[in-house]
Amino acid sequence: MLFLASFVLLASACSDGDLCAQAPRCDDSEAINCETGCTVGPCSTGPTVQECNEGTSCTVIPGDREDARFYRSRAVCAKSLSACDPAAAPPPVCEGERFVTGCSAYRRDIRVPCSQAGLYFAQVPACCRGGAADGGADAGTADGGSDAGTPDAGTGDGGIPDAGGTRADAGR
């Protein structure tokens, strides 16, 4: 009986469990992250698992401790492991309506779901923001209207309406 109890305990310790407690990490070709709250959109809260495909590989990138927005370490699907300069790189671009690619604030050329673009890019393309006319230059922080200065990340769920539906290829 003791053996069976030990086996069950060991098996449960190796299961997926709480992904937020394990994030950020790479699990084979999956980038696992967790966001507890969003200040800019689009961004969704909770654990996300992104399959690194389309010529990308998973790697964990440390955050910038000097940056209030991009201070957290993140598991990313990198197109290249070489560093890039987001200030000198062209703005990120959309791959269809579901993904965005480009040189991120984490100084890597990455591919992420639109639903998480606000976590990786200072400038989010309009296709990820529900068709914003300004191209996302403010990444959802203010639109100059009567609510200027307030986040426009969507509803209290962190912006899921801005990012469209959730499919397996856009993070889970």
Side-chain angles (χ1 to χ4, degrees):
M1 187 69 171
L2 181 60
F3 173 75
L4 182 58
S6 297
F7 178 75
V8 170
L9 182 61
L10 180 62
S12 66
C14 294
S15 68
D16 285 345
D18 181 11
L19 291 178
C20 284
Q22 301 170 21
R25 73 179 179 131
C26 292
D27 188 4
D28 293 325
S29 64
E30 293 180 326
I32 301 170
N33 288 290
C34 185
E35 189 60 37
T36 56
C38 298
T39 58
V40 297
C43 164
S44 57
T45 58
T48 59
V49 178
Q50 180 188 356
E51 182 72 28
C52 293
N53 52 22
E54 303 292 324
T56 64
S57 58
C58 185
T59 187
V60 176
I61 305 294
D64 180 353
R65 298 281 182 207
E66 303 295 318
D67 191 309
R69 182 170 165 196
F70 301 108
Y71 70 92
R72 298 177 97 183
S73 295
R74 302 267 183 211
V76 301
C77 292
K79 295 178 95 177
S80 169
L81 298 180
S82 300
C84 62
D85 180 5
V93 296
C94 294
E95 282 185 5
E97 296 178 11
R98 313 245 342 120
F99 289 94
V100 61
T101 61
C103 183
S104 73
Y106 288 89
R107 301 187 178 283
R108 297 297 183 281
D109 190 18
I110 66 171
R111 179 178 191 261
V112 297
C114 274
S115 63
Q116 298 300 97
L119 298 174
Y120 297 92
F121 296 100
Q123 181 180 354
V124 177
C127 64
C128 290
R129 294 176 25 93
D134 68 354
D138 64 359
T141 55
D143 65 5
S146 61
D147 64 345
T150 60
D152 65 353
T155 60
D157 64 2
I160 291 174
D162 297 337
T166 56
R167 294 184 194 156
D169 65 346
R172 308 178 263 204

